[in-house]
Amino acid sequence: MRPDKKILRELLSTEGKENLQALYNKAYDVKKQYVGTTVYLRGLIELSNICSKNCYYCGIRSGNKELTRYQISYEEAIAEAKLCLQMHYGSIVIQAGEREDRTWIEFITKLIKGIKELSEGKLGITLSLGEQKLEVYQQWFEAGAHRYLLRIETSNKELYRSLHPVNHSFEKRLKCLNLIQECGYQVGTGVMIGLPGQTIDDLANDILFFYDLDVDMLGMGPFIPHHNTPLKYLAESFSPLEALTMGLKMIAACRIALKDINIASTTALQALHSEGREMGLKAGANVLMPNITDTKYREGYQLYEGKPGLNETALQFQKQLEKRIFALGETIGYDEWGDSRHYQKKKN
Ligand code: SAM
Ligand code: SF4
């Protein structure tokens, strides 16, 4: 049943420690009932910070001339995928700035095939490489990728326009989500929470947008200002606690409303609180995306201020992560793709 907007607004307007705890508990109950308490891990490779776009909020936008641009080589990316396999993460996420040139398209195709081959098909591959043509989405799907993450950023067209240059199009982004679905990918989208001018009504509409699109996965996180973007002026009034709370409320409301989809507890939550990602799991999320990018590249992929884990290797992180997840009373879905129950249901 389509979620009721009035109820969504109420959930998102929750205030006060006890009421918030009650909201998170309710979401956790829904999570237990519909998806269980197994956390699925996706090793995240930040493949390149080269981007042709210029989104006003993003630290790696093309207009940031202070950034040294990098692209991880094929061999390095394959080595990271091997590490992912050795650590028993069932899936890998390849993320980067947006590029549509042929060299890039072929590089990604070769990499997808290489990862499939080295893991004998065991590693699931998720892409987060922005807006592309149908043929490109198809080519990557045929090479072996099976999930795609493309955040709509906000479902409010006017708000979207205020956050992007005129040559970035909300309609094109939406169309791309449809193309991705058409190709057969499991589709993930999401929004930034706490954008300038965003209201509770917008966030409630975002949840209805996710429902109407029939998404399989969500990756959402608080917006955090970056010093080298047009939105840097927001840093002064930025409250990490408020941003964290709104991010957790949105996760909880999505879990309550959408029930059996996968929801990631994103790094942006951890940037705001050392236990932000665990808080996300307690508020209804069930997926974590540990960063497996070689630490020498991490400085170059600062989307926002204070991104954590700059010097922490994947192995160091894994040890801590296990402890933290077990402490919550949850288990880890090692060596599993961890497709969303929502997607499995549609398939059957
Ligand atoms: N370039 C691809 C795209 O835009 O879909 C994938 C990489 S992009 C860096 C991944 C996500 O980072 C974006 O969808 C956006 O939501 C998020 N992001 C960028 N700047 C951010 C900021 N200042 N605070 C929080 N999230 C941010
Ligand atoms: Fe590029 Fe993605 Fe950042 Fe926009 S959000 S500037 S497309 S990396």
Side-chain angles (χ1 to χ4, degrees), residues 51 57-60 95-98 128-130 149-151 153 173 191-192 221-226 268 301 303-304:
C51 188
Y57 41 83
C58 179
I60 65 169
Q95 193 183 81
E98 191 172 301
S128 175
L129 301 169
L149 295 172
L150 184 73
R151 290 186 181 180
E153 313 297 3
R173 204 152 177 96
V191 293
M192 280 177 287
F223 157 71
I224 306 174
H226 182 284
Y301 207 84
L303 308 177
Y304 44 78

Side-chain angles (χ1 to χ4, degrees), residues 154-220:
T154 170
S155 62
N156 177 335
K157 280 185 216 171
E158 288 314 310
L159 183 57
Y160 185 94
R161 280 190 193 115
S162 73
L163 297 166
H164 299 91
V166 280
N167 60 350
H168 295 27
S169 149
F170 176 87
E171 286 72 20
K172 182 174 177 216
R173 204 152 177 96
L174 184 56
K175 175 86 187 136
C176 282
L177 279 166
N178 298 140
L179 296 180
I180 292 164
Q181 252 168 345
E182 203 180 296
C183 286
Y185 286 96
Q186 290 174 48
V187 180
T189 190
V191 293
M192 280 177 287
I193 302 147
L195 290 165
Q198 191 181 44
T199 62
I200 292 290
D201 213 52
D202 289 329
L203 292 172
N205 283 333
D206 290 341
I207 301 178
L208 294 174
F209 172 87
F210 303 151
Y211 178 85
D212 293 337
L213 193 68
D214 197 18
V215 292
D216 303 302
M217 333 174 266
L218 282 179
M220 304 167 295

Side-chain angles (χ1 to χ4, degrees), residues 17-31:
K17 213 172 162 198
E18 278 174 25
N19 293 337
L20 282 169
Q21 196 52 55
L23 171 69
Y24 305 147
N25 291 348
K26 184 171 173 191
Y28 200 74
D29 284 344
V30 175
K31 163 171 145 167

